[in-house]
Short mmCIF file of all heavy atoms in Angstrom, two decimals:
data_model
loop_
_atom_site.label_atom_id
_atom_site.label_comp_id
_atom_site.label_asym_id
_atom_site.label_seq_id
_atom_site.Cartn_x
_atom_site.Cartn_y
_atom_site.Cartn_z
N LEU A 663 -4.57 13.98 -17.54
CA LEU A 663 -4.22 13.60 -16.17
C LEU A 663 -2.71 13.49 -16.03
O LEU A 663 -2.04 12.97 -16.92
CB LEU A 663 -4.79 12.23 -15.83
CG LEU A 663 -6.29 12.06 -15.64
CD1 LEU A 663 -6.62 10.60 -15.44
CD2 LEU A 663 -6.76 12.87 -14.47
N ASP A 664 -2.23 13.93 -14.92
CA ASP A 664 -0.81 13.70 -14.65
C ASP A 664 -0.65 12.29 -14.08
O ASP A 664 -1.63 11.59 -13.80
CB ASP A 664 -0.23 14.76 -13.73
CG ASP A 664 -0.87 14.77 -12.34
OD1 ASP A 664 -1.83 14.02 -12.13
OD2 ASP A 664 -0.39 15.53 -11.48
N ALA A 665 0.58 11.83 -13.91
CA ALA A 665 0.85 10.46 -13.48
C ALA A 665 0.25 10.16 -12.10
O ALA A 665 -0.32 9.09 -11.88
CB ALA A 665 2.35 10.20 -13.47
N ALA A 666 0.37 11.09 -11.18
CA ALA A 666 -0.15 10.86 -9.82
C ALA A 666 -1.67 10.72 -9.82
O ALA A 666 -2.22 9.83 -9.17
CB ALA A 666 0.28 12.00 -8.90
N ALA A 667 -2.35 11.57 -10.58
CA ALA A 667 -3.82 11.50 -10.64
C ALA A 667 -4.27 10.21 -11.32
O ALA A 667 -5.24 9.58 -10.89
CB ALA A 667 -4.37 12.71 -11.37
N ALA A 668 -3.57 9.79 -12.37
CA ALA A 668 -3.93 8.55 -13.06
C ALA A 668 -3.73 7.34 -12.15
O ALA A 668 -4.56 6.43 -12.11
CB ALA A 668 -3.09 8.41 -14.32
N LYS A 669 -2.63 7.35 -11.41
CA LYS A 669 -2.36 6.24 -10.49
C LYS A 669 -3.42 6.20 -9.39
O LYS A 669 -3.92 5.14 -9.03
CB LYS A 669 -0.98 6.37 -9.88
CG LYS A 669 -0.64 5.24 -8.94
CD LYS A 669 0.75 5.37 -8.37
CE LYS A 669 1.04 4.19 -7.45
NZ LYS A 669 2.36 4.29 -6.87
N GLN A 670 -3.78 7.35 -8.85
CA GLN A 670 -4.80 7.42 -7.80
C GLN A 670 -6.14 6.92 -8.32
O GLN A 670 -6.83 6.15 -7.66
CB GLN A 670 -4.93 8.84 -7.27
CG GLN A 670 -5.92 8.99 -6.12
CD GLN A 670 -5.45 8.28 -4.87
OE1 GLN A 670 -4.30 8.44 -4.48
NE2 GLN A 670 -6.29 7.50 -4.26
N LEU A 671 -6.51 7.32 -9.52
CA LEU A 671 -7.77 6.89 -10.12
C LEU A 671 -7.80 5.38 -10.32
O LEU A 671 -8.76 4.71 -9.97
CB LEU A 671 -7.99 7.62 -11.45
CG LEU A 671 -9.26 7.28 -12.21
CD1 LEU A 671 -10.49 7.65 -11.39
CD2 LEU A 671 -9.28 7.99 -13.55
N ALA A 672 -6.72 4.82 -10.85
CA ALA A 672 -6.65 3.37 -11.08
C ALA A 672 -6.70 2.61 -9.76
O ALA A 672 -7.40 1.60 -9.63
CB ALA A 672 -5.38 3.03 -11.85
N THR A 673 -5.98 3.08 -8.76
CA THR A 673 -5.97 2.43 -7.44
C THR A 673 -7.36 2.47 -6.81
O THR A 673 -7.84 1.46 -6.30
CB THR A 673 -4.95 3.11 -6.51
OG1 THR A 673 -3.66 3.04 -7.11
CG2 THR A 673 -4.92 2.45 -5.15
N ASP A 674 -8.01 3.61 -6.87
CA ASP A 674 -9.36 3.74 -6.31
C ASP A 674 -10.34 2.79 -6.99
O ASP A 674 -11.16 2.15 -6.32
CB ASP A 674 -9.87 5.18 -6.45
CG ASP A 674 -9.14 6.16 -5.54
OD1 ASP A 674 -8.32 5.72 -4.72
OD2 ASP A 674 -9.40 7.37 -5.69
N MET A 675 -10.25 2.67 -8.30
CA MET A 675 -11.15 1.78 -9.04
C MET A 675 -10.91 0.32 -8.65
O MET A 675 -11.86 -0.45 -8.47
CB MET A 675 -10.97 1.97 -10.54
CG MET A 675 -11.52 3.31 -11.03
SD MET A 675 -11.16 3.65 -12.77
CE MET A 675 -11.99 2.31 -13.57
N LEU A 676 -9.65 -0.08 -8.50
CA LEU A 676 -9.34 -1.46 -8.12
C LEU A 676 -9.83 -1.77 -6.70
O LEU A 676 -10.39 -2.83 -6.44
CB LEU A 676 -7.84 -1.72 -8.23
CG LEU A 676 -7.30 -1.83 -9.65
CD1 LEU A 676 -5.78 -1.87 -9.64
CD2 LEU A 676 -7.86 -3.06 -10.33
N VAL A 677 -9.61 -0.84 -5.78
CA VAL A 677 -10.04 -1.06 -4.40
C VAL A 677 -11.56 -1.13 -4.32
O VAL A 677 -12.11 -2.01 -3.67
CB VAL A 677 -9.49 0.05 -3.47
CG1 VAL A 677 -10.12 0.00 -2.10
CG2 VAL A 677 -7.97 -0.06 -3.36
N ARG A 678 -12.25 -0.24 -5.01
CA ARG A 678 -13.72 -0.27 -4.98
C ARG A 678 -14.26 -1.55 -5.60
O ARG A 678 -15.24 -2.12 -5.12
CB ARG A 678 -14.28 0.95 -5.71
CG ARG A 678 -14.20 2.19 -4.87
CD ARG A 678 -15.03 3.32 -5.46
NE ARG A 678 -14.88 4.50 -4.63
CZ ARG A 678 -14.03 5.49 -4.86
NH1 ARG A 678 -13.26 5.46 -5.92
NH2 ARG A 678 -13.94 6.52 -4.04
N ALA A 679 -13.62 -2.03 -6.65
CA ALA A 679 -14.07 -3.28 -7.28
C ALA A 679 -13.86 -4.46 -6.33
O ALA A 679 -14.72 -5.33 -6.20
CB ALA A 679 -13.31 -3.52 -8.57
N ALA A 680 -12.74 -4.48 -5.61
CA ALA A 680 -12.48 -5.57 -4.67
C ALA A 680 -13.44 -5.51 -3.49
O ALA A 680 -13.97 -6.53 -3.06
CB ALA A 680 -11.04 -5.50 -4.17
N ILE A 681 -13.68 -4.33 -2.98
CA ILE A 681 -14.58 -4.18 -1.83
C ILE A 681 -16.02 -4.47 -2.25
O ILE A 681 -16.75 -5.15 -1.55
CB ILE A 681 -14.47 -2.76 -1.24
CG1 ILE A 681 -13.13 -2.59 -0.53
CG2 ILE A 681 -15.60 -2.47 -0.27
CD1 ILE A 681 -12.84 -1.19 -0.07
N GLY A 682 -16.43 -3.97 -3.41
CA GLY A 682 -17.80 -4.14 -3.86
C GLY A 682 -18.17 -5.59 -4.15
O GLY A 682 -19.34 -5.94 -4.18
N GLY A 683 -17.18 -6.43 -4.33
CA GLY A 683 -17.46 -7.83 -4.60
C GLY A 683 -17.79 -8.64 -3.36
O GLY A 683 -18.23 -9.78 -3.46
N GLN A 684 -17.60 -8.08 -2.18
CA GLN A 684 -17.89 -8.79 -0.95
C GLN A 684 -19.39 -8.67 -0.64
O GLN A 684 -19.92 -7.57 -0.60
CB GLN A 684 -17.07 -8.24 0.21
CG GLN A 684 -15.59 -8.46 0.01
CD GLN A 684 -14.78 -7.88 1.16
OE1 GLN A 684 -15.31 -7.28 2.07
NE2 GLN A 684 -13.49 -8.07 1.10
N GLN A 685 -20.03 -9.81 -0.45
CA GLN A 685 -21.47 -9.84 -0.19
C GLN A 685 -21.76 -10.66 1.05
O GLN A 685 -20.95 -11.49 1.45
CB GLN A 685 -22.21 -10.45 -1.38
CG GLN A 685 -22.00 -9.71 -2.66
CD GLN A 685 -22.68 -10.40 -3.82
OE1 GLN A 685 -23.23 -11.47 -3.70
NE2 GLN A 685 -22.67 -9.74 -4.97
N ARG A 686 -22.93 -10.42 1.62
CA ARG A 686 -23.37 -11.20 2.78
C ARG A 686 -24.88 -11.12 2.89
O ARG A 686 -25.49 -10.19 2.41
CB ARG A 686 -22.64 -10.72 4.03
CG ARG A 686 -23.45 -9.93 4.97
CD ARG A 686 -22.79 -9.47 6.24
NE ARG A 686 -21.83 -10.38 6.79
CZ ARG A 686 -21.03 -10.08 7.80
NH1 ARG A 686 -21.09 -8.90 8.35
NH2 ARG A 686 -20.17 -10.94 8.26
N THR A 687 -25.45 -12.12 3.55
CA THR A 687 -26.87 -12.14 3.85
C THR A 687 -27.04 -12.01 5.35
O THR A 687 -26.32 -12.65 6.11
CB THR A 687 -27.50 -13.46 3.36
OG1 THR A 687 -27.31 -13.55 1.96
CG2 THR A 687 -28.98 -13.50 3.67
N LEU A 688 -27.96 -11.18 5.77
CA LEU A 688 -28.20 -10.93 7.18
C LEU A 688 -29.69 -11.13 7.45
O LEU A 688 -30.54 -10.61 6.71
CB LEU A 688 -27.77 -9.51 7.53
CG LEU A 688 -27.86 -9.06 8.97
CD1 LEU A 688 -26.90 -9.89 9.84
CD2 LEU A 688 -27.51 -7.59 9.09
N ARG A 689 -30.01 -11.88 8.49
CA ARG A 689 -31.41 -12.10 8.88
C ARG A 689 -31.66 -11.40 10.22
O ARG A 689 -30.92 -11.60 11.18
CB ARG A 689 -31.69 -13.59 8.98
CG ARG A 689 -31.72 -14.23 7.63
CD ARG A 689 -31.85 -15.74 7.70
NE ARG A 689 -31.87 -16.34 6.38
CZ ARG A 689 -30.78 -16.54 5.63
NH1 ARG A 689 -29.60 -16.19 6.07
NH2 ARG A 689 -30.88 -17.08 4.43
N LEU A 690 -32.71 -10.58 10.23
CA LEU A 690 -33.03 -9.78 11.40
C LEU A 690 -34.50 -9.95 11.77
O LEU A 690 -35.32 -10.32 10.93
CB LEU A 690 -32.77 -8.30 11.11
CG LEU A 690 -31.33 -7.91 10.79
CD1 LEU A 690 -31.27 -6.48 10.29
CD2 LEU A 690 -30.44 -8.09 11.99
N PRO A 691 -34.87 -9.66 13.04
CA PRO A 691 -36.27 -9.73 13.43
C PRO A 691 -37.09 -8.61 12.75
O PRO A 691 -36.55 -7.64 12.25
CB PRO A 691 -36.24 -9.55 14.95
CG PRO A 691 -34.91 -9.01 15.28
CD PRO A 691 -33.98 -9.34 14.15
N TRP A 692 -38.40 -8.78 12.79
CA TRP A 692 -39.32 -7.88 12.09
C TRP A 692 -39.18 -6.43 12.51
O TRP A 692 -39.52 -5.52 11.75
CB TRP A 692 -40.76 -8.34 12.29
CG TRP A 692 -41.20 -8.31 13.73
CD1 TRP A 692 -41.09 -9.29 14.64
CD2 TRP A 692 -41.78 -7.21 14.41
NE1 TRP A 692 -41.58 -8.90 15.85
CE2 TRP A 692 -42.01 -7.59 15.74
CE3 TRP A 692 -42.14 -5.91 14.02
CZ2 TRP A 692 -42.57 -6.74 16.68
CZ3 TRP A 692 -42.70 -5.07 14.97
CH2 TRP A 692 -42.91 -5.50 16.28
N ARG A 693 -38.70 -6.14 13.70
CA ARG A 693 -38.64 -4.75 14.16
C ARG A 693 -37.66 -3.89 13.34
O ARG A 693 -37.62 -2.68 13.47
CB ARG A 693 -38.33 -4.68 15.65
CG ARG A 693 -36.99 -5.17 16.05
CD ARG A 693 -36.81 -5.03 17.57
NE ARG A 693 -35.64 -5.72 18.01
CZ ARG A 693 -35.61 -6.96 18.48
NH1 ARG A 693 -36.73 -7.64 18.57
NH2 ARG A 693 -34.48 -7.51 18.85
N PHE A 694 -36.88 -4.51 12.45
CA PHE A 694 -35.95 -3.77 11.59
C PHE A 694 -36.54 -3.51 10.20
O PHE A 694 -35.81 -3.22 9.26
CB PHE A 694 -34.62 -4.54 11.46
CG PHE A 694 -33.84 -4.56 12.73
CD1 PHE A 694 -33.94 -5.62 13.61
CD2 PHE A 694 -33.00 -3.50 13.07
CE1 PHE A 694 -33.21 -5.65 14.79
CE2 PHE A 694 -32.28 -3.52 14.25
CZ PHE A 694 -32.39 -4.59 15.11
N LEU A 695 -37.87 -3.61 10.07
CA LEU A 695 -38.53 -3.43 8.78
C LEU A 695 -38.28 -2.07 8.13
O LEU A 695 -38.48 -1.91 6.94
CB LEU A 695 -40.04 -3.63 8.92
CG LEU A 695 -40.52 -5.06 8.85
CD1 LEU A 695 -42.01 -5.15 9.16
CD2 LEU A 695 -40.22 -5.67 7.51
N GLY A 696 -37.83 -1.09 8.87
CA GLY A 696 -37.56 0.23 8.31
C GLY A 696 -36.35 0.28 7.39
O GLY A 696 -36.16 1.24 6.66
N LEU A 697 -35.52 -0.77 7.40
CA LEU A 697 -34.34 -0.78 6.53
C LEU A 697 -34.77 -0.98 5.08
O LEU A 697 -35.67 -1.77 4.78
CB LEU A 697 -33.39 -1.90 6.94
CG LEU A 697 -32.73 -1.71 8.30
CD1 LEU A 697 -31.96 -2.96 8.70
CD2 LEU A 697 -31.80 -0.51 8.27
N GLN A 698 -34.12 -0.25 4.17
CA GLN A 698 -34.47 -0.29 2.76
C GLN A 698 -33.20 -0.38 1.92
O GLN A 698 -32.11 -0.04 2.41
CB GLN A 698 -35.21 0.98 2.36
CG GLN A 698 -36.49 1.20 3.11
CD GLN A 698 -37.12 2.52 2.72
OE1 GLN A 698 -36.67 3.20 1.81
NE2 GLN A 698 -38.17 2.89 3.43
N PRO A 699 -33.32 -0.83 0.66
CA PRO A 699 -32.15 -0.83 -0.22
C PRO A 699 -31.53 0.57 -0.29
O PRO A 699 -32.23 1.58 -0.37
CB PRO A 699 -32.72 -1.25 -1.57
CG PRO A 699 -33.89 -2.11 -1.20
CD PRO A 699 -34.48 -1.44 0.01
N GLY A 700 -30.21 0.60 -0.20
CA GLY A 700 -29.48 1.87 -0.20
C GLY A 700 -29.05 2.29 1.20
O GLY A 700 -28.13 3.10 1.34
N ASP A 701 -29.70 1.77 2.24
CA ASP A 701 -29.32 2.10 3.61
C ASP A 701 -27.97 1.47 3.94
O ASP A 701 -27.61 0.43 3.41
CB ASP A 701 -30.36 1.60 4.61
CG ASP A 701 -31.66 2.38 4.57
OD1 ASP A 701 -31.68 3.46 3.94
OD2 ASP A 701 -32.64 1.91 5.18
N SER A 702 -27.24 2.10 4.86
CA SER A 702 -25.97 1.55 5.33
C SER A 702 -26.15 0.98 6.72
O SER A 702 -26.90 1.52 7.54
CB SER A 702 -24.90 2.65 5.38
OG SER A 702 -24.61 3.09 4.08
N ILE A 703 -25.45 -0.12 6.97
CA ILE A 703 -25.51 -0.79 8.27
C ILE A 703 -24.09 -0.97 8.77
O ILE A 703 -23.23 -1.49 8.06
CB ILE A 703 -26.16 -2.18 8.14
CG1 ILE A 703 -27.59 -2.05 7.64
CG2 ILE A 703 -26.13 -2.92 9.46
CD1 ILE A 703 -28.25 -3.38 7.36
N GLY A 704 -23.84 -0.53 9.99
CA GLY A 704 -22.53 -0.73 10.60
C GLY A 704 -22.49 -2.05 11.35
O GLY A 704 -23.30 -2.29 12.24
N LEU A 705 -21.60 -2.92 10.96
CA LEU A 705 -21.39 -4.21 11.61
C LEU A 705 -19.98 -4.24 12.16
O LEU A 705 -19.15 -3.40 11.79
CB LEU A 705 -21.60 -5.35 10.61
CG LEU A 705 -23.01 -5.45 10.00
CD1 LEU A 705 -23.06 -6.56 8.95
CD2 LEU A 705 -24.04 -5.69 11.07
N PRO A 706 -19.66 -5.19 13.05
CA PRO A 706 -18.32 -5.22 13.64
C PRO A 706 -17.19 -5.29 12.61
O PRO A 706 -16.09 -4.80 12.87
CB PRO A 706 -18.33 -6.48 14.51
CG PRO A 706 -19.77 -6.67 14.85
CD PRO A 706 -20.53 -6.19 13.66
N ASP A 707 -17.45 -5.84 11.43
CA ASP A 707 -16.39 -5.96 10.44
C ASP A 707 -16.44 -4.87 9.37
O ASP A 707 -15.78 -4.98 8.35
CB ASP A 707 -16.42 -7.35 9.78
CG ASP A 707 -17.71 -7.61 9.03
OD1 ASP A 707 -18.71 -6.91 9.28
OD2 ASP A 707 -17.72 -8.52 8.20
N GLY A 708 -17.21 -3.83 9.57
CA GLY A 708 -17.24 -2.72 8.63
C GLY A 708 -18.64 -2.24 8.32
O GLY A 708 -19.61 -2.63 8.95
N VAL A 709 -18.72 -1.37 7.31
CA VAL A 709 -20.00 -0.80 6.90
C VAL A 709 -20.47 -1.53 5.65
O VAL A 709 -19.69 -1.78 4.72
CB VAL A 709 -19.85 0.71 6.61
CG1 VAL A 709 -21.16 1.30 6.12
CG2 VAL A 709 -19.38 1.43 7.85
N TRP A 710 -21.76 -1.88 5.64
CA TRP A 710 -22.36 -2.63 4.54
C TRP A 710 -23.56 -1.86 4.02
O TRP A 710 -24.24 -1.15 4.77
CB TRP A 710 -22.80 -4.01 5.03
CG TRP A 710 -21.65 -4.86 5.45
CD1 TRP A 710 -20.96 -4.79 6.61
CD2 TRP A 710 -21.03 -5.90 4.69
NE1 TRP A 710 -19.96 -5.73 6.63
CE2 TRP A 710 -19.99 -6.43 5.47
CE3 TRP A 710 -21.28 -6.45 3.43
CZ2 TRP A 710 -19.18 -7.46 5.02
CZ3 TRP A 710 -20.48 -7.49 3.00
CH2 TRP A 710 -19.44 -7.98 3.78
N ARG A 711 -23.84 -1.99 2.72
CA ARG A 711 -24.97 -1.32 2.09
C ARG A 711 -26.02 -2.36 1.72
O ARG A 711 -25.72 -3.41 1.17
CB ARG A 711 -24.51 -0.58 0.83
CG ARG A 711 -25.57 0.30 0.21
CD ARG A 711 -25.01 1.15 -0.93
NE ARG A 711 -24.13 0.41 -1.81
CZ ARG A 711 -24.54 -0.35 -2.84
NH1 ARG A 711 -25.82 -0.45 -3.09
NH2 ARG A 711 -23.68 -0.98 -3.59
N VAL A 712 -27.28 -2.06 2.02
CA VAL A 712 -28.39 -2.97 1.73
C VAL A 712 -28.71 -2.88 0.23
O VAL A 712 -28.90 -1.80 -0.30
CB VAL A 712 -29.65 -2.58 2.54
CG1 VAL A 712 -30.82 -3.48 2.19
CG2 VAL A 712 -29.35 -2.62 4.03
N THR A 713 -28.74 -4.04 -0.44
CA THR A 713 -29.09 -4.08 -1.86
C THR A 713 -30.47 -4.69 -2.09
O THR A 713 -31.10 -4.43 -3.10
CB THR A 713 -28.06 -4.87 -2.68
OG1 THR A 713 -27.97 -6.19 -2.17
CG2 THR A 713 -26.71 -4.19 -2.63
N GLU A 714 -30.93 -5.52 -1.15
CA GLU A 714 -32.24 -6.17 -1.32
C GLU A 714 -32.82 -6.50 0.05
O GLU A 714 -32.08 -6.86 0.97
CB GLU A 714 -32.06 -7.46 -2.13
CG GLU A 714 -33.34 -8.18 -2.44
CD GLU A 714 -33.10 -9.47 -3.22
OE1 GLU A 714 -32.09 -9.55 -3.94
OE2 GLU A 714 -33.93 -10.38 -3.09
N CYS A 715 -34.14 -6.39 0.19
CA CYS A 715 -34.85 -6.73 1.43
C CYS A 715 -35.99 -7.69 1.11
O CYS A 715 -36.70 -7.50 0.13
CB CYS A 715 -35.47 -5.48 2.06
SG CYS A 715 -34.32 -4.21 2.53
N ARG A 716 -36.14 -8.70 1.96
CA ARG A 716 -37.28 -9.62 1.86
C ARG A 716 -37.82 -9.84 3.27
O ARG A 716 -37.05 -9.98 4.22
CB ARG A 716 -36.85 -10.96 1.27
CG ARG A 716 -36.47 -10.91 -0.17
CD ARG A 716 -36.17 -12.29 -0.74
NE ARG A 716 -35.19 -13.06 0.01
CZ ARG A 716 -33.87 -12.95 -0.11
NH1 ARG A 716 -33.36 -12.07 -0.94
NH2 ARG A 716 -33.05 -13.69 0.62
N PHE A 717 -39.16 -9.91 3.38
CA PHE A 717 -39.79 -10.16 4.67
C PHE A 717 -40.69 -11.38 4.53
O PHE A 717 -41.68 -11.35 3.81
CB PHE A 717 -40.60 -8.94 5.11
CG PHE A 717 -41.22 -9.09 6.46
CD1 PHE A 717 -40.43 -9.22 7.58
CD2 PHE A 717 -42.59 -9.11 6.60
CE1 PHE A 717 -41.00 -9.36 8.84
CE2 PHE A 717 -43.18 -9.25 7.85
CZ PHE A 717 -42.37 -9.37 8.98
N GLU A 718 -40.29 -12.47 5.19
CA GLU A 718 -41.04 -13.72 5.15
C GLU A 718 -41.04 -14.34 6.53
O GLU A 718 -40.00 -14.41 7.18
CB GLU A 718 -40.40 -14.69 4.15
CG GLU A 718 -40.33 -14.18 2.74
CD GLU A 718 -39.51 -15.08 1.83
OE1 GLU A 718 -39.22 -16.22 2.21
OE2 GLU A 718 -39.15 -14.62 0.75
N ALA A 719 -42.20 -14.81 6.97
CA ALA A 719 -42.34 -15.49 8.27
C ALA A 719 -41.76 -14.65 9.41
O ALA A 719 -41.06 -15.16 10.28
CB ALA A 719 -41.69 -16.87 8.22
N PHE A 720 -42.03 -13.35 9.39
CA PHE A 720 -41.59 -12.42 10.42
C PHE A 720 -40.07 -12.34 10.56
O PHE A 720 -39.54 -12.00 11.61
CB PHE A 720 -42.24 -12.74 11.78
CG PHE A 720 -43.70 -12.42 11.79
CD1 PHE A 720 -44.63 -13.40 11.51
CD2 PHE A 720 -44.14 -11.15 12.05
CE1 PHE A 720 -45.99 -13.12 11.49
CE2 PHE A 720 -45.49 -10.84 12.04
CZ PHE A 720 -46.42 -11.83 11.76
N VAL A 721 -39.36 -12.64 9.48
CA VAL A 721 -37.90 -12.50 9.44
C VAL A 721 -37.54 -11.61 8.26
O VAL A 721 -37.98 -11.84 7.14
CB VAL A 721 -37.20 -13.87 9.30
CG1 VAL A 721 -35.70 -13.69 9.14
CG2 VAL A 721 -37.52 -14.76 10.49
N LEU A 722 -36.76 -10.58 8.53
CA LEU A 722 -36.28 -9.68 7.49
C LEU A 722 -34.94 -10.20 7.00
O LEU A 722 -34.00 -10.34 7.79
CB LEU A 722 -36.14 -8.26 8.04
CG LEU A 722 -35.62 -7.21 7.08
CD1 LEU A 722 -36.60 -6.99 5.94
CD2 LEU A 722 -35.35 -5.91 7.82
N THR A 723 -34.85 -10.51 5.72
CA THR A 723 -33.61 -10.98 5.13
C THR A 723 -33.03 -9.86 4.28
O THR A 723 -33.71 -9.34 3.38
CB THR A 723 -33.85 -12.24 4.27
OG1 THR A 723 -34.45 -13.24 5.09
CG2 THR A 723 -32.55 -12.76 3.70
N LEU A 724 -31.80 -9.49 4.56
CA LEU A 724 -31.13 -8.42 3.83
C LEU A 724 -29.96 -8.99 3.04
O LEU A 724 -29.19 -9.79 3.56
CB LEU A 724 -30.59 -7.36 4.79
CG LEU A 724 -31.59 -6.71 5.74
CD1 LEU A 724 -30.86 -5.79 6.70
CD2 LEU A 724 -32.64 -5.95 4.96
N GLU A 725 -29.85 -8.56 1.79
CA GLU A 725 -28.67 -8.85 0.98
C GLU A 725 -27.80 -7.61 1.06
O GLU A 725 -28.28 -6.49 0.82
CB GLU A 725 -29.05 -9.17 -0.46
CG GLU A 725 -29.94 -10.39 -0.60
CD GLU A 725 -29.28 -11.68 -0.13
OE1 GLU A 725 -28.04 -11.81 -0.25
OE2 GLU A 725 -30.01 -12.55 0.37
N LEU A 726 -26.53 -7.79 1.41
CA LEU A 726 -25.63 -6.66 1.65
C LEU A 726 -24.38 -6.76 0.78
O LEU A 726 -23.95 -7.85 0.43
CB LEU A 726 -25.19 -6.65 3.12
CG LEU A 726 -26.27 -6.72 4.19
CD1 LEU A 726 -25.64 -6.90 5.55
CD2 LEU A 726 -27.12 -5.47 4.16
N VAL A 727 -23.81 -5.60 0.45
CA VAL A 727 -22.48 -5.52 -0.16
C VAL A 727 -21.67 -4.57 0.70
O VAL A 727 -22.19 -3.62 1.29
CB VAL A 727 -22.51 -5.03 -1.62
CG1 VAL A 727 -23.19 -6.03 -2.52
CG2 VAL A 727 -23.14 -3.68 -1.74
N ARG A 728 -20.38 -4.85 0.78
CA ARG A 728 -19.51 -4.00 1.59
C ARG A 728 -19.43 -2.61 0.96
O ARG A 728 -19.23 -2.47 -0.24
CB ARG A 728 -18.11 -4.59 1.71
CG ARG A 728 -17.24 -3.79 2.68
CD ARG A 728 -15.88 -4.41 2.88
NE ARG A 728 -15.91 -5.68 3.56
CZ ARG A 728 -15.94 -5.83 4.88
NH1 ARG A 728 -15.98 -4.77 5.66
NH2 ARG A 728 -15.91 -7.03 5.41
N ALA A 729 -19.60 -1.59 1.79
CA ALA A 729 -19.52 -0.21 1.33
C ALA A 729 -18.06 0.20 1.25
O ALA A 729 -17.24 -0.19 2.09
CB ALA A 729 -20.28 0.71 2.29
N ALA A 730 -17.72 0.97 0.25
CA ALA A 730 -16.35 1.46 0.09
C ALA A 730 -16.07 2.49 1.18
O ALA A 730 -16.80 3.45 1.35
CB ALA A 730 -16.16 2.07 -1.29
N ALA A 731 -15.03 2.25 1.91
CA ALA A 731 -14.61 3.20 2.96
C ALA A 731 -13.76 4.28 2.32
O ALA A 731 -13.44 4.23 1.14
CB ALA A 731 -13.82 2.45 4.03
N ALA A 732 -13.39 5.24 3.12
CA ALA A 732 -12.48 6.27 2.62
C ALA A 732 -11.17 5.61 2.21
O ALA A 732 -10.59 4.82 2.96
CB ALA A 732 -12.23 7.31 3.70
N LEU A 733 -10.73 5.92 1.02
CA LEU A 733 -9.54 5.28 0.49
C LEU A 733 -8.29 6.09 0.86
O LEU A 733 -8.31 7.32 0.83
CB LEU A 733 -9.64 5.16 -1.03
CG LEU A 733 -10.83 4.35 -1.52
CD1 LEU A 733 -10.92 4.45 -3.04
CD2 LEU A 733 -10.71 2.92 -1.09
N PRO A 734 -7.20 5.41 1.21
CA PRO A 734 -5.98 6.14 1.55
C PRO A 734 -5.39 6.82 0.31
O PRO A 734 -5.59 6.36 -0.82
CB PRO A 734 -5.05 5.04 2.07
CG PRO A 734 -5.56 3.80 1.44
CD PRO A 734 -7.04 3.98 1.27
N ALA A 735 -4.66 7.87 0.53
CA ALA A 735 -4.01 8.57 -0.58
C ALA A 735 -2.87 7.71 -1.11
O ALA A 735 -2.13 7.10 -0.37
CB ALA A 735 -3.49 9.92 -0.11
N ALA A 736 -2.75 7.70 -2.43
CA ALA A 736 -1.67 6.94 -3.06
C ALA A 736 -0.36 7.72 -2.95
O ALA A 736 -0.36 8.95 -2.95
CB ALA A 736 -2.00 6.70 -4.52
N PRO A 737 0.76 7.02 -2.86
CA PRO A 737 2.04 7.71 -2.82
C PRO A 737 2.33 8.37 -4.17
O PRO A 737 1.74 7.98 -5.19
CB PRO A 737 3.03 6.58 -2.52
CG PRO A 737 2.34 5.33 -2.92
CD PRO A 737 0.88 5.58 -2.76
N PRO A 738 3.20 9.34 -4.22
CA PRO A 738 3.54 10.00 -5.48
C PRO A 738 4.04 9.00 -6.52
O PRO A 738 4.61 7.98 -6.19
CB PRO A 738 4.65 10.98 -5.10
CG PRO A 738 4.59 11.10 -3.63
CD PRO A 738 3.95 9.86 -3.11
N SER A 739 3.79 9.32 -7.78
CA SER A 739 4.23 8.44 -8.86
C SER A 739 4.91 9.25 -9.97
O SER A 739 4.81 10.46 -10.02
CB SER A 739 3.05 7.67 -9.42
OG SER A 739 2.03 8.55 -9.80
N ASP A 740 5.61 8.55 -10.83
CA ASP A 740 6.33 9.19 -11.94
C ASP A 740 5.46 9.32 -13.16
O ASP A 740 4.69 8.50 -13.48
CB ASP A 740 7.57 8.39 -12.30
CG ASP A 740 8.58 8.37 -11.16
OD1 ASP A 740 8.56 9.29 -10.34
OD2 ASP A 740 9.37 7.42 -11.12
#
């Protein structure tokens, strides 16, 4: 790898690790039962990926992690 590619790879890994650590729980009515782990959900604060689904008492509970967005290009490096 040249310096620019190595820097871009390291930056991408750090950003994905920081983004992937953000989690949230979302509770929805039963009509959203079609959602499954791996699906993406667009919320006002970004795109989230479903990691777990539970349906109890007619409430769908989703465990979500923030999906990695397109990462900006890193500036040139030495």
Side-chain angles (χ1 to χ4, degrees):
L663 289 175
D664 63 355
K669 182 178 180 181
Q670 183 67 47
L671 180 62
T673 302
D674 290 354
M675 289 174 61
L676 287 172
V677 169
R678 283 193 182 96
I681 289 173
Q684 296 179 357
Q685 301 177 354
R686 106 178 325 171
T687 300
L688 184 64
R689 289 174 180 79
L690 298 170
W692 63 270
R693 66 180 169 266
F694 291 95
L695 276 174
L697 293 172
Q698 300 176 7
D701 289 348
S702 294
I703 298 175
L705 298 176
D707 62 342
V709 177
W710 295 78
R711 188 173 44 84
V712 177
T713 58
E714 184 181 333
C715 299
R716 291 185 307 277
F717 183 64
E718 300 172 14
F720 290 94
V721 175
L722 179 65
T723 303
L724 303 175
E725 298 297 329
L726 308 172
V727 293
R728 186 177 293 275
L733 300 173
S739 55
D740 296 335

